[in-house]
Amino acid sequence: MRTLLCLFLTFIISKTQSERVGNLVLLKDAVKDGAVCLDGSAAGYFIDRTPSKRWIIHLEGGGWCYSEGDCYNRSFIDLGSSKNWQTKFELAGFLNNDPDVNPNFANYTVVFVPYCDGASFSGNRDEPVVVNGRKIYFRGHRILTALVDALIENEGLKEAEAIILTGCSAGGLATFLHLDYVRSRFPYSDVHGLADAGYFVDAPNVNRDMHARRQFQYIFHMQNCSEGVNRDCFESNEIDGWQCFMAQYTYPYIQTPIFVLNSLYDTWQLGNILQLGCNPPDCNNTRMLEFFAWRTTFLNALKPVIQWGQNGVFADACLQHCQSVNDIPWSRIKVWGQNAHDMFSDWYINKRGTRTGIDGVYPNNPTCGDND
């Protein structure tokens, strides 16, 4: 069974409403090429083999490991090792095959990619680091490459007419980072991205300390992510390499159409970037002012998305993190009368061009409901 920590960090896929089940395939043949989890075990994927030429590839989230010691600890759980992965995994929200929940995407073939590298499928360090006598491998980009190779060779992905790369949290960030790479592997397929809760912003905490920036910088260099981020971003003379590991800086370089799904009051960012230290509305007046100011901070960082060409954005004012992998927020939360499923469908299927749904202020959205 995937651990409780893993389920928490991926923000709990709703099993009570989910019907689709993916079966585990381990990438055993890729171990010799170094495409392994933190502990050296084989990476893999869950697949629901629907007879369709339209595919969804979902990259799992679950935070990052911020130091060698942190990665060592992570190598003992499902977010760093495949040794205890279950053989089946239930899928919900955007991955659900229930047409009542997911009417426009229920018949897509779905691949769910477990997360076990600690750096959003971006690291590529040749030699392992040794912590407490244990080898730790930073090979996320090799996992992604091996995944694509296996899906082409063994699952029929080379025949895909359409591919949607998606993910939530650290997997949402991975969608920003790797979307152009996936498109480069499938030049004759219609490739799009749906990045859920992956727009982590470079902002200070309540004490005006840029601690999150230092964390992203360290991960980038520790895992040697230079080969695992957007190439146009990394090769630009206008940006530092580590910034390509953050969505707001890499976004302007993405050439593939992408839709951004993110709460304006993302609970992970409130707790870990802003470090609010309380749960709104149960905060003192000073912290509530910081909370309300976060919306402006986030919107300023989101400007490239709001102003950018033919892409889309659904930014609600609910206290949420990861909405596409849960049946309820995917179909219930609305911005200007449309839920995330409908607005994404309008952008993706109906080709309506730019779709911008920017919500008002907390707590004025009645569709947030009990998930708020």
Side-chain angles (χ1 to χ4, degrees):
M1 296 294 292
R2 298 186 71 75
T3 63
L4 290 176
L5 176 60
C6 177
L7 290 175
F8 172 75
L9 290 172
T10 53
F11 309 98
I12 305 178
I13 292 179
S14 172
K15 294 188 176 183
T16 59
Q17 295 178 311
S18 173
E19 296 181 1
R20 183 179 304 220
V21 176
N23 297 296
L24 178 64
V25 178
L26 290 175
L27 296 168
K28 295 179 180 179
D29 291 342
V31 171
K32 65 181 184 300
D33 298 319
V36 294
C37 300
L38 289 171
D39 71 335
S41 59
Y45 58 92
F46 294 90
I47 184 167
D48 174 72
R49 294 180 177 88
T50 302
S52 172
K53 291 189 176 182
R54 309 185 75 84
W55 290 63
I56 294 170
I57 301 174
H58 178 90
L59 305 175
E60 185 183 28
W64 308 273
C65 47
Y66 300 102
S67 67
E68 290 84 352
D70 194 17
C71 294
Y72 166 82
N73 293 332
R74 193 181 179 101
S75 72
F76 291 96
I77 64 174
D78 288 354
L79 286 167
S81 172
S82 66
K83 291 179 179 178
N84 295 312
W85 286 355
Q86 61 189 29
T87 58
K88 297 181 182 294
F89 200 65
E90 296 186 43
L91 308 169
F94 183 46
L95 311 181
N96 202 331
N97 63 357
D98 182 351
D100 291 332
V101 173
N102 196 34
N104 291 321
F105 306 98
N107 63 345
Y108 280 50
T109 293
V110 170
V111 175
F112 181 94
V113 188
Y115 179 38
C116 66
D117 68 274
S120 293
F121 300 90
S122 294
N124 191 23
R125 184 165 172 170
D126 287 333
E127 296 299 323
V129 299
V130 178
V131 182
N132 296 332
R134 182 179 177 89
K135 291 182 179 180
I136 306 299
Y137 298 84
F138 298 140
R139 303 284 177 74
H141 186 59
R142 299 190 197 187
I143 292 173
L144 183 67
T145 301
L147 167 75
V148 174
D149 290 344
L151 294 178
I152 290 173
E153 295 170 9
N154 304 325
E155 307 292 357
L157 186 58
K158 62 183 176 182
E159 305 297 332
E161 296 175 354
I163 300 170
I164 301 174
L165 182 69
T166 184
C168 77
S169 193
L173 174 60
T175 303
F176 287 110
L177 303 182
H178 308 307
L179 183 58
D180 280 355
Y181 165 74
V182 171
R183 188 191 62 168
S184 74
R185 296 293 304 271
F186 301 95
Y188 302 109
S189 301
D190 185 29
V191 179
H192 289 69
L194 171 60
D196 178 9
Y199 205 85
F200 300 96
V201 300
D202 184 23
N205 65 11
V206 293
N207 297 317
R208 305 301 175 257
D209 178 60
M210 299 295 291
H211 79 103
R213 174 185 292 181
R214 293 193 298 273
Q215 288 179 325
F216 279 96
Q217 287 175 328
Y218 195 86
I219 296 168
F220 179 85
H221 294 296
M222 173 182 68
Q223 292 226 19
N224 186 30
C225 296
S226 57
E227 295 182 16
V229 295
N230 183 283
R231 298 313 307 160
D232 288 342
C233 178
F234 186 74
E235 292 171 3
S236 170
N237 294 323
E238 300 177 356
I239 195 167
D240 289 334
W242 70 266
Q243 291 177 296
C244 299
F245 192 61
M246 299 194 76
Q248 74 185 90
Y249 299 124
T250 202
Y251 181 89
Y253 297 91
I254 299 172
Q255 301 298 313
T256 310
I258 187 169
F259 190 96
V260 179
L261 169 60
N262 222 105
S263 170
L264 298 171
Y265 302 95
D266 183 284
T267 51
W268 192 95
Q269 297 197 53
L270 290 174
N272 295 276
I273 295 180
L274 183 60
Q275 294 186 320
L276 191 61
C278 58
N279 297 316
D282 299 321
C283 301
N284 62 36
N285 290 339
T286 300
R287 289 303 168 93
M288 284 303 295
L289 289 174
E290 295 281 358
F291 166 72
F292 286 118
W294 177 260
R295 181 179 184 274
T296 300
T297 298
F298 191 81
L299 283 174
N300 285 336
L302 198 65
K303 283 181 180 178
V305 179
I306 298 170
Q307 299 170 351
W308 197 264
Q310 296 298 303
N311 290 337
V313 57
F314 182 97
D316 58 86
C318 304
L319 295 176
Q320 289 283 333
H321 184 71
C322 283
Q323 301 178 63
S324 66
V325 291
N326 189 302
D327 292 344
I328 295 174
W330 177 240
S331 58
R332 188 187 70 188
I333 292 175
K334 295 182 178 181
V335 175
W336 303 114
Q338 281 193 308
N339 61 27
H341 171 278
D342 291 344
M343 190 171 291
F344 175 73
S345 299
D346 209 20
W347 172 79
Y348 174 68
I349 297 174
N350 299 326
K351 308 299 183 185
R352 293 286 182 87
T354 303
R355 298 293 293 150
T356 303
I358 305 297
D359 207 352
V361 298
Y362 175 89
N364 294 334
N365 187 332
T367 67
C368 292
D370 294 337
N371 284 77
D372 191 356

